[in-house]
């Protein structure tokens, strides 16, 4: 975990330096209204905790850390000192000789370094995850497996209820159990035994509640496991206990032995991946967690929101949509018109097209709210630009599946009907996404005048691949642009097997 800047009552540029056991991070950010916007991120694999013996950091690790600090010091030089904070975690928390690093590091940075307690770290991680997910009253168990420790935190929405920190980290386990003197399978087995014993010490106090909670994972270790699962064709989406067990079999049966050649893994993580997997497997088995959802939420975000006094419940999705509309200068009145029109069409078609689930209305509404963000990039193919922004941007409060669907709907809201794009992406209920795209396309065409006075009282009837759109009598005659685009829409939907019929009444 790491560092962050005091941003309460500040809207200017701030900086955070995260001194983790495995990597150091520098984040430069600003708070824009209610939304945190990262301007720059630098990550260096320092491995401050590597080679620690008898509770002391190695001199080589201290030297690597100070070299990195010198580079970070240059970047923060132009930022006001009161807007920079540095935080360290497990490696510094546990080291008896931490001052050998802290004193020269503070001199280089011109900043004090705050070393967090384990429970503080766990609660700040929980806060960061809460700001990355939609609001919910469901119980959540947040798990973070770092280089030197594993943090657990249970709570609801933005309120952590209990937390724990274990001396269980991928770097620490690697140092203890995995080296060239033993085979990978032997080293992994030792790491798993070590991890099991550490988890067993807390499991009785956590297991029953963990079984009832939604398990959320964050950090590079859990992200790495997810990436390997996808690259290996073992799983996708959530991380299940059976998926993790399959990865373990790959190691124990010596399928991965040549230079730690593991598919889907960044080169800088290959040496610590087996130990990280052992830690995750021990946590999931010891706490009886059947599945785990990875969330790309940084620890630094938790610190930033904490220092900005942002610990109260809020609708993160609403905040995110509002922030994106401001950032990309969206015509909010037009977005609201398209949202209303698309929602009205959905009400007419929900039952026949099996779109009654609440998630369908949400995804359609979000896409309508953001369908014009690509215009800020270019008026040429703004749908493609908008889809790219949503796919690759930070959409706090949205799951990966929600973001994927919203991006597809934005991509499909104008131009040729993108059957290839819709068909090439494997997502649940793909047919529903295609139908939502049709509703959004029609809503955009109906609102081409961009004025409330011209919004028609339209209705729609659907049956499988037949769409009958009924408009007020005379409306098509008075709205030549929409009439022409609806005629084009008839032709564009035909190759997809959709028949669009226009009626007046």
């Amino acid at each position: 975990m790491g560092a962050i800047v005091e941003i309460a009552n500040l809207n200017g540029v701030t900086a955070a330096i995260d001194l983790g056991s495995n990597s150091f991070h520098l984040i430069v950010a600003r708070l824009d209204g209610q939304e945190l916007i990262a301007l720059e991120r630098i990550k260096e694999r320092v491995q401050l905790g590597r080679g620690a013996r008898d509770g002391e950091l190695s001199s080589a690790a201290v030297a690597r850390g100070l070299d990195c600090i010198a580079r970070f010091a240059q970047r923060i030089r132009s930022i006001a000192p009161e807007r920079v904070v540095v935080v360290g975690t497990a490696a510094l928390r546990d080291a008896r000789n931490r001052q050998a690093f802290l004193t020269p590091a503070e001199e280089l940075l011109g900043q004090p370094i705050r070393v967090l307690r384990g429970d503080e770290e766990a609660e700040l991680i929980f806060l960061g995850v809460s700001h990355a997910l939609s609001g919910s009253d469901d119980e959540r168990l947040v798990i973070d497996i770092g280089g030197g420790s594993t943090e657990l935190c249970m709570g609801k929405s933005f309120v952590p209820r209990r937390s724990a920190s274990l001396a269980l980290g991928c770097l620490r386990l690697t140092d203890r159990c995995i080296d060239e003197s033993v085979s990978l399978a032997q080293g992994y087995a030792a790491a798993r035994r070590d991890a099991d014993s550490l988890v067993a010490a807390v499991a009785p106090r956590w297991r029953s509640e963990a079984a009832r909670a939604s398990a959320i994972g964050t950090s590079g270790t859990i992200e790495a496991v997810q990436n390997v699962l996808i690259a290996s064709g073992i799983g996708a989406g959530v991380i299940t206990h059976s998926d993790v067990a399959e990865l373990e079999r790959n190691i124990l049966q010596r399928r991965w032995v040549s230079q730690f050649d593991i598919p889907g893994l960044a080169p800088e993580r290959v040496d610590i991946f087996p130990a990280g997997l052992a830690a995750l497997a021990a946590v999931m088995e010891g706490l009886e967690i059947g599945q785990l959802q990875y969330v790309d939420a940084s620890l630094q975000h938790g610190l930033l929101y904490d220092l900005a006094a942002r610990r109260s419940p809020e609708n993160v999705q609403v905040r995110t949509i509002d922030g994106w509309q401001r950032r990309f200068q969206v015509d909010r009145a037009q977005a609201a018109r398209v949202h209303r029109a698309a929602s009205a069409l959905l009400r007419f078609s929900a039952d026949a097209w099996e779109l009654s689930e609440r998630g369908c209305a949400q995804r359609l509404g979000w896409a309508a709210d953001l369908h014009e963000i690509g215009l800020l990039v270019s008026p040429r193919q703004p749908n493609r630009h908008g889809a790219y922004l949503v796919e690759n941007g930070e959409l706090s409060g949205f799951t990966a599946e929600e973001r994927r669907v919203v991006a597809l709907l934005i991509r499909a809201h104008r131009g040729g009907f993108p059957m290839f794009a819709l068909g090439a992406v494997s997502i649940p209920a793909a047919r529903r996404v295609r139908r939502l795209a049709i509703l959004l396309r029609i809503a955009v065409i109906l609102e081409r005048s961009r004025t409330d006075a011209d919004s028609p009282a339209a209705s729609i009837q659907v049956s499988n691949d037949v769409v009958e759109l009924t408009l007020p009598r005379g409306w098509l005659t008075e709205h030549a642009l929409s009439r022409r685009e609806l005629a084009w829409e008839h032709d564009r939907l035909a190759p997809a097997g959709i028949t669009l019929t226009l009626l007046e009444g």
Side-chain angles (χ1 to χ4, degrees):
M1 178 153 102
I4 217 65
V5 68
E6 173 76 46
I7 61 170
N9 302 317
L10 295 176
N11 285 324
V13 175
T14 63
I17 297 177
D18 168 357
L19 307 177
S21 301
N22 188 52
S23 300
F24 284 8
H25 300 258
L26 167 62
I27 299 180
V28 179
R30 64 184 170 88
L31 191 64
D32 182 10
Q34 297 297 305
E35 189 177 16
L36 181 68
I37 299 175
L39 303 178
E40 183 178 1
R41 295 183 180 184
I42 303 175
K43 174 183 176 181
E44 292 198 20
R45 185 183 187 237
V46 172
Q47 296 197 316
L48 185 65
R50 183 125 228 183
R53 293 290 183 271
D54 300 321
E56 294 196 352
L57 301 172
S58 73
S59 57
V62 170
R64 289 195 303 270
L66 293 177
D67 285 345
C68 178
I69 289 293
R71 290 186 285 274
F72 284 3
Q74 176 190 337
R75 179 59 185 87
I76 67 171
R77 198 172 294 153
S78 61
I79 302 173
E82 67 273 14
R83 295 185 177 186
V84 179
V85 173
V86 188
V87 176
T89 54
L92 290 171
R93 185 163 61 233
D94 298 340
R96 293 199 305 264
N97 65 333
R98 67 176 68 90
Q99 286 306 134
F101 173 83
L102 290 176
T103 299
E106 288 175 342
E107 291 176 358
L108 286 168
L109 291 168
Q111 297 287 338
I113 297 174
R114 174 188 171 201
V115 178
L116 296 173
R117 301 190 314 269
D119 61 331
E120 288 181 299
E121 184 178 357
E123 291 189 4
L124 288 167
I125 293 166
F126 184 91
L127 182 60
V129 168
S130 295
H131 276 279
L133 293 175
S134 57
S136 172
D137 289 331
D138 295 337
E139 195 84 359
R140 287 174 178 158
L141 169 61
V142 174
I143 302 166
D144 184 290
I145 299 173
S149 63
T150 291
E151 274 64 51
L152 307 173
C153 191
M154 183 86 70
K156 293 182 178 181
S157 188
F158 289 76
V159 184
R161 185 167 52 80
R162 61 183 304 190
S163 59
S165 180
L166 312 179
L168 173 61
C170 58
L171 198 63
R172 197 188 296 253
L173 270 185
T174 300
D175 274 353
R176 285 203 296 253
C177 304
I178 300 175
D179 59 40
E180 296 179 354
S181 66
V182 297
S183 70
L184 177 57
Q186 290 173 319
Y188 183 84
R192 179 61 198 273
R193 289 193 298 270
D194 200 339
D196 284 341
S197 66
L198 289 167
V199 174
V202 301
R205 300 193 300 273
W206 286 81
R207 189 180 292 126
S208 61
E209 290 184 286
R212 298 192 299 269
S214 298
I216 308 295
T218 183
S219 82
T221 295
I222 295 176
E223 180 184 21
V225 170
Q226 178 173 264
N227 290 342
V228 172
L229 285 170
I230 294 172
S232 303
I234 297 173
V238 297
I239 300 172
T240 68
H241 183 268
S242 60
D243 290 341
V244 172
E246 178 63 21
L247 291 186
E248 289 193 292
R249 284 191 289 274
N250 287 340
I251 290 178
L252 294 174
Q253 294 174 10
R254 302 186 179 183
R255 298 177 193 171
W256 293 333
V257 293
S258 178
Q259 297 179 342
F260 295 97
D261 183 15
I262 302 175
L265 201 60
E268 64 270 17
R269 293 201 70 91
V270 293
D271 60 333
I272 58 175
F273 177 79
L277 177 63
L280 178 58
V283 170
M284 292 187 72
E285 184 171 300
L287 302 187
E288 298 181 356
I289 296 170
Q291 65 179 35
L292 179 74
Q293 176 191 351
Y294 170 72
V295 173
D296 185 14
S298 75
L299 308 179
Q300 293 76 27
H301 278 71
L303 282 165
L304 282 171
Y305 286 121
D306 177 58
L307 291 170
R310 296 280 299 285
R311 280 183 171 267
S312 59
E314 59 180 310
N315 191 317
V316 180
Q317 293 165 332
V318 170
R319 185 196 74 202
T320 297
I321 294 293
D322 178 76
W324 275 57
Q325 286 185 327
R326 283 187 294 103
R327 193 186 318 171
F328 293 101
Q329 301 176 25
V330 168
D331 181 340
R332 292 176 186 252
Q334 178 63 8
R337 291 184 199 99
V338 172
H339 190 143
R340 286 195 301 269
S343 298
L345 296 175
L346 177 62
R347 286 193 293 272
F348 284 109
S349 57
D351 291 337
W353 265 1
E354 298 179 347
L355 302 175
S356 298
E357 293 183 4
R358 181 170 178 263
C360 293
Q362 287 181 322
R363 289 158 175 77
L364 182 61
W366 294 328
D369 291 338
L370 299 178
H371 77 281
E372 290 192 329
I373 59 174
L375 287 171
L376 191 63
V377 178
S378 171
R380 293 177 180 270
Q381 299 185 325
N383 54 326
R384 293 177 180 270
H385 300 312
Y388 178 86
L389 291 169
V390 169
E391 283 185 71
N392 296 278
E394 293 187 1
L395 216 63
S396 297
F398 294 83
T399 66
E401 189 269 340
E402 287 170 342
R403 185 169 59 189
R404 192 178 304 120
V405 170
V406 171
L408 280 171
L409 293 176
I410 292 174
R411 166 69 177 83
H413 89 267
R414 60 182 288 170
F417 195 67
M419 285 301 298
F420 179 78
L422 291 171
V425 179
S426 176
I427 57 175
R431 184 175 63 175
R432 294 181 182 179
V433 178
R434 186 177 75 155
R435 290 172 170 176
L436 291 174
I438 293 170
L439 300 180
L440 181 59
R441 291 169 69 87
I442 294 173
V444 169
I445 294 172
L446 296 181
E447 297 296 341
R448 289 291 273 120
S449 298
R450 306 181 77 90
T451 173
D452 292 341
D454 273 357
S455 296
S459 64
I460 192 172
Q461 283 190 314
V462 299
S463 177
N464 293 324
D465 293 332
V466 176
V467 178
E468 290 185 352
L469 176 65
T470 301
L471 294 159
R473 189 169 301 278
W475 192 88
L476 288 171
T477 301
E478 296 171 0
H479 297 83
L481 177 59
S482 289
R483 183 177 70 245
R484 184 185 67 176
E485 292 187 352
L486 285 169
W488 286 349
E489 191 66 7
H490 174 276
D491 296 338
R492 286 168 171 163
L493 293 178
I498 306 296
T499 301
L500 174 63
T501 303
L502 302 181
L503 302 173
E504 287 188 320

